[in-house]
Amino acid sequence: MTQTENSVTTVDFWFDPLCPWAWMTSRWMLEVEKVRPVRTVFHVMSLSVLNDGRDLPEQYRERLDRGWHGVRVALAVEEQFGSDKLREYYTAIGTRIHPGGEDGAERATIESALAEVGLPTELAEAGWTDANDEALKKSHHEGMDPVGDEVGTPVMHINGMALFGPVISPAPTGEQAGRLFDGFQLLTEYDGFFEAKRTRTREPIF
């Protein structure tokens, strides 16, 4: 997190388009921007990179194998059109995947999201080649290495601290969103803070 000249707080946020919990947190941060002087900058991480080589159930492994498509395209959007366009694209593809129930690894879903935000559908080709995977891994590690190897996504960098979460459902709106951010931000002011957690009792409520 940084303070810009006009006192707007920049929060760096890492996501994989397939993760419903990252989606929930991202929607919360967009609500925070409406009630606090905050700007969220989106970056790409990859659950496929994170779990590479781990012993996982076959069903989850198959999902991760297909997950390369979405993150590769998201990174291509960021590299070629900038972070603001990545922000738009994430909203378009995430809306299709999560509340919409579409398959985010399908080329048709990706192309539809690209077209919605005025991007060339040819960018979808990036999802089916590993030619830029070193850059993808670099983006992933920039977000994930500072928070450690015991977490997934979402990850936020704020006040010089990298944290997993918050994991929320549903995403609060209005002043409630702002107050949750105030509390989360306060936690990061103490360098010795590491963890606060309870068992999830609900699925993502889109």
Side-chain angles (χ1 to χ4, degrees), residues 94-168:
T95 299
R96 284 165 170 76
I97 295 170
H98 302 298
E102 297 183 36
D103 186 345
E106 286 291 335
R107 185 161 180 150
T109 303
I110 292 171
E111 289 182 348
S112 178
L114 290 167
E116 179 183 328
V117 296
L119 290 168
T121 57
E122 290 79 11
L123 276 174
E125 296 175 5
W128 278 260
T129 173
D130 62 2
N132 202 32
D133 280 1
E134 287 306 310
L136 173 62
K137 292 174 183 177
K138 181 176 184 292
S139 177
H140 171 90
H141 287 294
E142 285 175 352
M144 301 304 293
D145 287 359
V147 79
D149 59 2
E150 299 175 353
V151 301
T153 181
V155 161
M156 293 171 59
H157 291 199
I158 178 172
N159 276 340
M161 184 182 290
L163 287 173
F164 167 65
V167 176
I168 52 177

Side-chain angles (χ1 to χ4, degrees), residues 14-204:
W14 270 262
F15 72 94
D16 183 313
L18 291 183
C19 178
W21 297 106
W23 174 253
M24 299 300 298
T25 306
S26 73
R27 299 309 95 181
W28 162 61
M29 285 305 301
L30 295 185
E31 288 291 321
V32 171
E33 292 181 352
K34 299 175 183 178
V35 295
R36 296 291 186 272
V38 170
R39 175 69 174 175
T40 310
V41 179
F42 293 93
H43 306 274
V44 182
M45 62 82 66
S46 169
L47 291 171
S48 301
V49 172
L50 180 69
N51 290 287
D52 188 36
R54 294 183 178 179
D55 186 17
L56 299 169
E58 185 61 28
Q59 184 177 7
Y60 190 57
R61 170 58 58 196
E62 291 176 358
R63 183 168 179 263
L64 291 177
D65 287 345
R66 302 183 75 237
W68 288 98
H69 305 316
V71 292
R72 287 166 173 166
V73 174
L75 184 67
V77 170
E78 182 180 18
E79 288 183 333
Q80 297 183 40
F81 294 91
S83 59
D84 285 347
K85 210 63 181 178
L86 174 64
R87 176 190 181 100
E88 293 180 34
Y89 173 71
Y90 181 33
T91 290
I93 191 69
T95 299
R96 284 165 170 76
I97 295 170
H98 302 298
E102 297 183 36
D103 186 345
E106 286 291 335
R107 185 161 180 150
T109 303
I110 292 171
E111 289 182 348
S112 178
L114 290 167
E116 179 183 328
V117 296
L119 290 168
T121 57
E122 290 79 11
L123 276 174
E125 296 175 5
W128 278 260
T129 173
D130 62 2
N132 202 32
D133 280 1
E134 287 306 310
L136 173 62
K137 292 174 183 177
K138 181 176 184 292
S139 177
H140 171 90
H141 287 294
E142 285 175 352
M144 301 304 293
D145 287 359
V147 79
D149 59 2
E150 299 175 353
V151 301
T153 181
V155 161
M156 293 171 59
H157 291 199
I158 178 172
N159 276 340
M161 184 182 290
L163 287 173
F164 167 65
V167 176
I168 52 177
S169 179
T173 60
E175 183 59 20
Q176 188 177 42
R179 286 176 58 80
L180 177 59
F181 180 80
D182 294 341
F184 188 74
Q185 186 175 14
L186 282 172
L187 291 174
T188 67
E189 291 183 3
Y190 179 57
D191 180 66
F193 175 75
F194 294 100
E195 185 174 0
K197 188 174 183 179
R198 64 175 178 154
T199 299
R200 292 198 299 265
T201 59
R202 67 184 68 156
E203 293 301 310

